[in-house]
Amino acid sequence: MKKTKKIALCGVMCALAFAFSYIEFLIPFDMIGIPGIKPGFANLVIMAALYTLGLPYAAAVSAFRILLSWLIFGNFTSFLYSLAGGVLSLLLMFVLKKYKVFDEVGVSVSGAVVHNAAQLCVSALLTSGAVLYYMPVLLVAGVVFGVINGLLLKPVIKRTEKLFL
Amino acid sequence: MSFKNNHKTVLNKVFLIFICAALISAPACSSAPSLQKYSAAFTDVFDTVTEFTAYCDSQSKFDTVSAELHAELLRLHKLYDIYNEYGGTVNLAYLNRVCGEGPVEVGEEILSLLKEGVSWYRLTNGRMNIFAGSVLSLWHECRENGEGIPTEEELFEASKHVSCESVVIDGKTVHFTDKELKIDAGALAKGHAYHSVSLLLRDLGVTDYLLNLGGNVTAEGNKPDGKWKIGVQDPDGNGLYTTVKASGVSVVTSGDYQRYYEYDGQKYHHIIDLDTLYPAAAYRSVTVICRNSWDADALSTALFLLSVEEGERLLKQYEAEALWIKADGVAVRSEGFSKYE
Amino acid sequence: MSKPVLRNIILIVSVLAVSALLFIVFYGGRSAGRSFEITVNGRMYGTYALDKDITVDVDGLCTVSVKDGAVSVIDSACSGKDCVHHKPISMSGERIVCLPNGVVIRVTGDGVDAVI
């Protein structure tokens, strides 16, 4: 793929990742009274970037999404959580993909679980551990949405490659 | 089966039903109208949350009691307020302003508070001192702002004006011979306020209640299912350290987690050691159980400022028990404390 | 079963096992609570009974309501409103946390009447 094409695709993905963040902000996904749980479709876009464009572009998409969410929704604590979750999950997904430890589903689940765990650890640091009790709920949510995103990831990669490569 | 036998079975059944009905209805008829638990919380007195829990026979009775209690607490809050004056009342803020000028006549309640302050000063060689307002106000100001600490010079200068010898009590008049001396009765005010409140509640006919004046709990009477249970917080915030069963006693905790602020990564709490002029560092919390509410209140602060050995001597004198949670997390109990746990 | 699928299953099962373990650690051995406490930025704001329906205004930060023995946040001045969306809590040790406001609501159990 030409570099210009890659940059263009990256731009589209940035917009898409932010759009998903925005939709998840507008529609509260707190099912059965569990707050703070989101399907994380933005992560689906970031994973697609990781698989089709590589780590630097995926990092750019993730960073853009986190920064823009901060600037637009204006919540610094949320920014810290997103940053911790985004950086750790992307690095882990990159390693797992590179050394072929898991397929798309496994990478997606690992990323989602680590993303949630890292966010909660940051908030535990800020609230002297009062929120850690929430960890099991977030881990299970990470597995559920990780599987869904992982299953979606394969066709998404296929179509992205078909359209842009 | 004969008719006779059948007849007997029916009679047996009727008899059984009758017995059951009697057993069920007897306690209901014999006992007094059942008491209900009610509670109220006030946030506008003594700069803390005050909770009042009582067993009453009706909501309206509780509401009347609770309203009278609230009015009395507001009156006492104003009386012992050292920051605001309320036109006309001779309260501590007023005394702090004018007692340096000459003798001022004060009411019975303030007089007894001041005398109590003098005797605690003598008893603890000035460690427990309600006349140290000049030093405490420097810390209070920083705590209110949530930042900064008083400078060494400020503290040292203020510490020259905390001697109880400068307080002259003559009959019903009070005079400070040191114009810079200020009262801060935080260590005694709630215990004294409770004394007035207990008289009011007794007159209103309330015998079973629990009053929590922000860490200063007095339990009178019992709950229908036994003694009142008071949880003592773990200073690190991990739930309860222990629970105390109380009836007819005051349980008071002085803890570094009750009032504090953080500055430069350091926590500064509200109980100041007048030797170092900094927050006392030996304990995380001290819990005192004592029959008399004002002794319990004063003891919890005094013990926070004294060594365990000195504290134990005071406890014997006042027939009180205590639980110290030291700075390193180790707990020390006085001889009889565990019989309340 | 292909190798990647087997690995995925191992991953999912182990994460779920860790969740179950944490769940037991955090929620194990709990009884129905009878009171709850509110702290604001780590400072005790108040302890309230759970057996009476009341509404508490927490310093204008949020409004806490008790209904049928369970406590929930019905309004909050924070941006995310996660605390408002949290299900009502009633078990000893359960918590609702509002991070932006620094408000923690925790159910205390074993019939404790006051916490000092």
Side-chain angles (χ1 to χ4, degrees):
Chain A
M1 202 180 342
K2 266 205 220 138
K3 201 170 181 191
T4 41
K5 222 174 182 180
K6 275 187 161 182
I7 291 170
L9 180 55
C10 179
V12 172
M13 283 176 159
C14 284
L16 196 59
F18 176 70
F20 278 128
S21 292
Y22 187 60
I23 289 169
E24 287 174 6
F25 173 78
L26 288 180
I27 309 165
F29 280 90
D30 47 306
M31 283 138 292
I32 45 172
I34 307 170
I37 289 181
K38 298 189 165 164
F41 289 127
N43 195 42
L44 178 57
V45 181
I46 290 160
M47 287 190 293
L50 181 66
Y51 273 87
T52 55
L53 300 175
L55 180 65
Y57 289 92
V61 175
S62 178
F64 176 82
R65 184 193 75 84
I66 292 166
L67 271 173
L68 203 62
S69 298
W70 175 33
L71 292 176
I72 290 181
F73 308 135
N75 189 330
F76 186 68
T77 40
S78 307
F79 167 71
L80 286 181
Y81 304 159
S82 302
L83 197 64
V87 170
L88 278 176
S89 74
L90 184 59
L91 284 179
L92 180 75
M93 290 191 295
F94 170 70
V95 170
L96 295 178
K97 171 186 166 285
K98 188 172 179 198
Y99 296 101
K100 296 191 172 61
V101 181
F102 293 121
D103 69 350
E104 287 84 344
V105 176
V107 167
S108 171
V109 170
S110 311
V113 166
V114 165
H115 187 266
N116 287 353
Q119 286 205 345
L120 200 69
C121 286
V122 173
S123 82
L125 282 178
L126 296 176
T127 56
S128 63
V131 292
L132 272 180
Y133 80 104
Y134 209 50
M135 188 65 92
V137 181
L138 282 184
L139 291 187
V140 173
V143 170
V144 172
F145 290 113
V147 169
I148 295 174
N149 284 338
L151 293 173
L152 288 172
L153 184 56
K154 241 180 200 166
V156 166
I157 293 169
K158 223 189 215 161
R159 278 170 178 72
T160 314
E161 282 175 340
K162 216 164 138 191
L163 276 171
F164 286 87
L165 302 184
Chain B
M1 192 187 285
S2 71
F3 170 72
K4 205 178 169 186
N5 252 341
N6 199 7
H7 185 69
K8 218 173 178 177
T9 335
V10 173
L11 261 186
N12 276 344
K13 273 185 186 161
V14 170
F15 182 69
L16 203 65
I17 290 168
F18 183 77
I19 297 277
C20 287
L23 280 175
I24 292 165
S25 58
C29 297
S30 61
S31 69
S34 68
L35 295 174
Q36 275 274 302
K37 185 182 182 182
Y38 298 98
S39 45
F42 316 116
T43 52
D44 52 358
V45 287
F46 298 108
D47 308 315
T48 175
V49 182
T50 298
E51 301 160 74
F52 174 55
T53 308
Y55 282 87
C56 280
D57 41 28
S58 74
Q59 176 81 52
S60 61
K61 165 97 191 271
F62 178 79
D63 288 346
T64 317
V65 169
S66 156
E68 289 215 30
L69 171 71
H70 191 198
E72 176 69 356
L73 285 170
L74 276 173
R75 183 186 73 81
L76 294 159
H77 168 77
K78 288 175 179 171
L79 190 66
Y80 300 131
D81 194 336
I82 57 169
Y83 307 111
N84 307 292
E85 289 183 36
Y86 303 89
T89 24
V90 177
N91 72 351
L92 295 183
Y94 174 80
L95 294 182
N96 278 341
R97 186 165 59 84
V98 304
C99 271
E101 313 292 332
V104 182
E105 194 174 325
V106 299
E108 199 56 48
E109 285 164 308
I110 289 201
L111 202 63
S112 82
L113 181 85
L114 295 182
K115 284 181 178 166
E116 182 91 6
V118 170
S119 71
W120 275 106
Y121 184 99
R122 302 242 158 89
L123 199 59
T124 61
N125 293 321
R127 302 292 289 273
M128 157 94 175
N129 183 353
I130 68 159
F131 305 105
S134 56
V135 173
L136 298 191
S137 65
L138 293 171
W139 285 104
H140 178 263
E141 205 174 303
C142 293
R143 194 165 65 243
E144 290 291 290
N145 295 332
E147 59 174 16
I149 54 171
T151 64
E152 297 280 345
E153 295 77 40
E154 281 177 318
L155 287 169
F156 181 69
E157 191 51 40
S159 71
K160 293 175 184 165
H161 308 287
V162 299
S163 171
C164 136
E165 307 305 327
S166 315
V167 179
V168 181
I169 302 174
D170 183 16
K172 286 184 173 175
T173 65
V174 180
H175 175 210
F176 302 161
T177 55
D178 179 345
K179 286 192 175 183
E180 300 295 315
L181 184 130
K182 300 271 180 276
I183 304 168
D184 184 329
L188 294 180
K190 284 194 253 172
H192 274 248
Y194 174 71
H195 178 68
S196 310
V197 164
S198 68
L199 297 179
L200 171 84
L201 290 171
R202 196 189 60 193
D203 290 348
L204 289 170
V206 187
T207 51
D208 302 286
Y209 63 86
L210 189 84
L211 186 69
N212 181 1
L213 285 170
N216 194 320
V217 172
T218 305
E220 286 296 344
N222 284 301
K223 301 193 282 181
D225 56 347
K227 291 183 174 179
W228 296 98
K229 274 172 98 176
I230 297 153
V232 178
Q233 274 192 69
D234 176 328
D236 290 320
N238 303 321
L240 300 179
Y241 182 81
T242 183
T243 52
V244 169
K245 294 185 202 70
S247 173
V249 292
S250 283
V251 186
V252 182
T253 296
S254 289
D256 64 1
Y257 54 85
Q258 290 167 331
R259 275 166 206 228
Y260 66 91
Y261 69 103
E262 271 177 69
Y263 173 67
D264 243 354
Q266 188 84 28
K267 282 185 179 177
Y268 296 96
H269 66 83
H270 69 302
I271 305 167
I272 305 300
D273 181 345
L274 289 170
D275 283 355
T276 63
L277 302 175
Y278 271 76
Y283 313 106
R284 303 295 315 279
S285 76
V286 177
T287 301
V288 170
I289 307 175
C290 181
R291 174 75 201 90
N292 182 319
S293 69
W294 66 47
D295 290 340
D297 194 13
L299 279 168
S300 78
T301 309
L303 264 56
F304 203 96
L305 296 165
L306 299 168
S307 69
V308 170
E309 293 72 31
E310 291 168 308
E312 266 172 344
R313 273 200 293 278
L314 279 178
L315 290 174
K316 287 226 167 65
Q317 201 171 329
Y318 285 90
E319 294 177 18
E321 302 295 342
L323 163 71
W324 293 263
I325 299 177
K326 293 189 184 177
D328 56 8
V330 175
V332 179
R333 287 167 168 82
S334 66
E335 221 180 305
F337 189 88
S338 54
K339 70 172 185 264
Y340 288 98
E341 287 179 285
Chain C
M1 204 182 289
S2 70
K3 213 172 154 196
V5 174
L6 188 69
R7 284 184 174 186
N8 287 343
I9 288 171
I10 292 171
L11 171 70
I12 290 167
V13 167
S14 48
V15 173
L16 291 179
V18 170
S19 306
L21 203 72
L22 289 176
F23 189 85
I24 293 165
V25 170
F26 289 129
Y27 296 84
R30 292 188 179 196
S31 53
R34 289 162 75 182
S35 60
F36 68 97
E37 56 186 34
I38 302 176
T39 56
V40 180
N41 291 320
R43 292 176 209 199
M44 183 61 80
Y45 184 82
T47 308
Y48 306 88
L50 263 176
D51 49 12
K52 190 169 159 257
D53 292 2
I54 53 161
T55 305
V56 186
D57 178 28
V58 185
D59 267 349
L61 296 171
C62 59
T63 310
V64 174
S65 163
V66 181
K67 204 169 184 302
D68 301 327
V71 55
S72 59
V73 179
I74 53 172
D75 193 17
S76 169
C78 65
S79 53
K81 302 264 191 274
D82 279 353
C83 52
V84 180
H85 296 134
H86 200 292
K87 70 176 171 56
I89 55 172
S90 58
M91 299 296 280
S92 171
E94 275 191 292
R95 273 177 268 217
I96 298 178
V97 182
C98 178
L99 288 178
N101 282 332
V103 175
V104 179
I105 297 153
R106 192 182 61 189
V107 177
T108 51
D110 309 321
V112 170
D113 301 292
V115 178
I116 53 175

